[in-house]
């Protein structure tokens, strides 16, 4: 059967590029046993690349069956083999471009093969999938070779018939994988999930193990910083959690309620918050944050002026806007700092968030506080700041807040837990802070009731738009098909800005959001769904914390949480909310 691939390539050699389409279908390789499935063939050499999958029976890999005994293990194994394949492709490509032996690894647009690149997080990805506990597959893209528009059959054989086999052997066979590293990868993910699961029973929303390395090597790299000061919990905050092997780990526990992260400028406050933001994900061994875990429903909130808002209830924070605008169903094309932040908080709560993560640096101050003098000076203030709502939010709805505060001392009056960063080392100053509050009292109004949580029903209409795609992790493109801005007002808008979503870490997640949005549009064109119903309609798999509909054919998608999908949806210009 593998000879048939060679035969087919010989037959179409020197033909017009379009004849590559004859390869669509599957070919069986015998030793090792796997099936090459050619799912999509590009129309010309510079079109988006062709998509192929190599599907191997699990028994053929010789990997232990215990690796598919839980979702966590399957995710870890698939993430690992994706990294092995990506590294192997990169090395081969580099080797060839340096004049090394063995051709066919470089293509006209860089590597002949491409597999979705991974960052520091271990995530469910469509680049590698275990199905029905009996196969494992790798998905990649490949650029089929041509001279002008003429098929180069022999080179294509080198790529698909020879190099791909080597790649599959390197990435999927037990004998070629670094068993110790693979085991570490799996254990590390199990450890993180185990820690995250213990949070609730200890009354915690986050845990940072002693010895963790929080800062990254630069603003442009998510690798750990060299020579960083390792994290060391204050004694008062230290908790002990269990590891799966029976041993224990100590670190700082952040309890439910309201926690302030404070301290002088440049002492490491934002770095702690950023580590907590990404503690909803598992990290690779060696990352430095692999024992930092956060409530999986924690959502980072920022001010984001200019964003679009559609019929969000922001009345807990804002009422009596000039012009009598109804804030129980607030819409705008161009939100202000405070209205954007109020909307983002309410939308996170709508999606089921139980921990808000906020940094004063990236907030609208007037949504966080209003001091006594401003209360006296401005009587017609439409904003009720978060400081007046955070306690009610916790007691009424069980939602905690972790907030970085450098300058807003009023927040001390509502804090249950105060951590001060001093030269990257945390101190628990809750008692001291209480003393300061009685020494310098201030009147901070507390609302008894938080107010309503929103629950919108959506209809998504993308007609007239090309199906959305994500060229970057912070942007989804929705370019219109038509070229007439008058008959198609959406023409003026080009996409969804995800740059305020700090918990989107890979472009594959943005692609996933784009893919899900087109599915949402398909499935809700006629109906009116609220968020939960909408997620359910997408796929059965969405009930879990991550959405990864395995049925999607693409190998470049990475799981996202419902929160990021909901946030993207809420930012869609032209979203229809029916009630
Ligand atoms: P803040 O928010 O308190 O102003 P940041 O968190 O932005 O401070 O940190 C300031 C700088 O210190 C950053 O460049 C960061 O990378 C660095 N940094 C943070 N934590 C550590 C640490 N544990 N060891 C070494 N450098 C750190
Ligand atoms: Mg900061």
């Amino acid at each position: 059967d593998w000879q048939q691939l060679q035969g087919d390539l010989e037959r179409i050699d020197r033909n017009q590029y379009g004849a590559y389409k004859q390869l669509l279908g599957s070919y069986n390789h015998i030793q090792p046993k796997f099936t090459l499935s050619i799912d999509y063939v590009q129309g010309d050499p510079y079109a988006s690349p062709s998509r192929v999958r190599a599907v191997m029976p699990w028994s053929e890999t010789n990997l232990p069956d215990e690796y598919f005994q839980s979702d966590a293990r399957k995710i870890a194994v698939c993430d690992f083999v994706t990294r092995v394949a990506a590294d192997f492709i990169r090395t081969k490509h580099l080797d060839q471009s340096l004049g090394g032996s063995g051709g066919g690894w470089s293509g006209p647009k860089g590597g002949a093969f491409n597999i979705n690149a991974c960052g520091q997080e271990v995530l469910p990805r469509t680049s590698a999938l275990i199905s029905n506990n009996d196969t494992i597959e790798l998905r990649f893209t490949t650029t089929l070779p041509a001279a002008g528009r003429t098929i180069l059959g022999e080179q294509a054989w080198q790529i698909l018939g020879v190099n791909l086999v080597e790649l599959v052997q390197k990435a999927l066979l037990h004998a070629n994988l670094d068993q110790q590293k693979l085991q570490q990868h799996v254990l590390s993910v199990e450890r993180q999930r185990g820690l995250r699961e213990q949070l609730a029973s200890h009354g915690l929303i986050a845990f940072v193990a002693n010895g963790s390395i929080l800062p990254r090597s630069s603003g442009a790299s998510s690798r750990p910083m060299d020579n960083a000061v390792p994290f060391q919990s204050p004694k008062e905050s230290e908790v002990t959690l269990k590891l799966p092997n029976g041993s224990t780990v100590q670190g700082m526990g952040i309890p439910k309620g309201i926690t302030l992260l404070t301290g002088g400028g440049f002492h490491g406050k934002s770095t702690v918050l950023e580590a907590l933001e990404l503690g909803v994900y598992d990290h690779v061994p060696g990352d430095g944050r692999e024992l930092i875990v956060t409530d999986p429903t924690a959502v980072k909130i920022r001010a984001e002026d200019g964003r679009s808002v559609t019929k969000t209830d922001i009345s807990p924070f804002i009422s009596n806007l000039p012009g009598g605008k109804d804030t129980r169903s607030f819409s705008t094309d161009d939100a202000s700092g405070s209205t954007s932040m109020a909307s983002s908080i309410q939308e996170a709560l709508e999606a089921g968030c139980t921990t808000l993560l906020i940094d004063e640096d990236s907030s609208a101050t007037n949504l966080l506080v209003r001091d006594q003098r401003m209360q006296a000076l401005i009587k017609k203030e439409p904003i009720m700041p978060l400081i007046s709502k955070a306690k009610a939010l916790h007691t009424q709805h069980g939602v905690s807040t972790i907030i970085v505060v450098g300058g807003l001392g009023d927040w001390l009056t509502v804090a249950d837990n105060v951590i001060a960063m001093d030269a990257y080392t945390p101190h628990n100053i809750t008692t001291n802070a209480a003393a300061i509050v009685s020494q310098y009292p201030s009147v901070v109004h507390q609302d008894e009731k938080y107010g309503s949580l929103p629950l919108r029903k959506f209809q998504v209409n993308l007609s007239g738009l090309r199906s959305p795609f994500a060229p970057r992790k912070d942007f989804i493109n929705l370019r219109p098909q038509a070229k007439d801005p008058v008959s198609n007002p959406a023409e003026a808008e080009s996409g969804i800005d995800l740059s305020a979503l700090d918990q989107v870490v890979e472009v594959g997640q943005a692609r996933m959001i784009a893919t899900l949005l087109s599915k949402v549009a398909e499935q809700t064109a006629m109906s009116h769904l609220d968020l939960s119903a909408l997620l359910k309609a997408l796929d059965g798999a969405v009930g879990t914390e991550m959405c990864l509909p395995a049925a999607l054919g693409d190998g470049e998608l990475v799981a996202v949480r419902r929160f990021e999908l909901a946030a993207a949806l809420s930012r869609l210009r032209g979203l229809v909310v029916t009630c």
Side-chain angles (χ1 to χ4, degrees), residues 212-218 225-231 262-272 274 359 361 404 421 423-425:
S212 294
I213 301 299
L214 278 57
R216 302 294 97 191
S217 68
S218 75
M225 175 189 273
D226 293 328
N227 305 318
V229 176
F231 191 86
T262 186
F266 227 63
H267 278 259
K269 303 182 296 294
S270 298
T271 304
V272 173
E274 282 157 22
D359 193 328
D361 289 357
V404 169
M421 298 303 295
Y424 316 131
T425 300

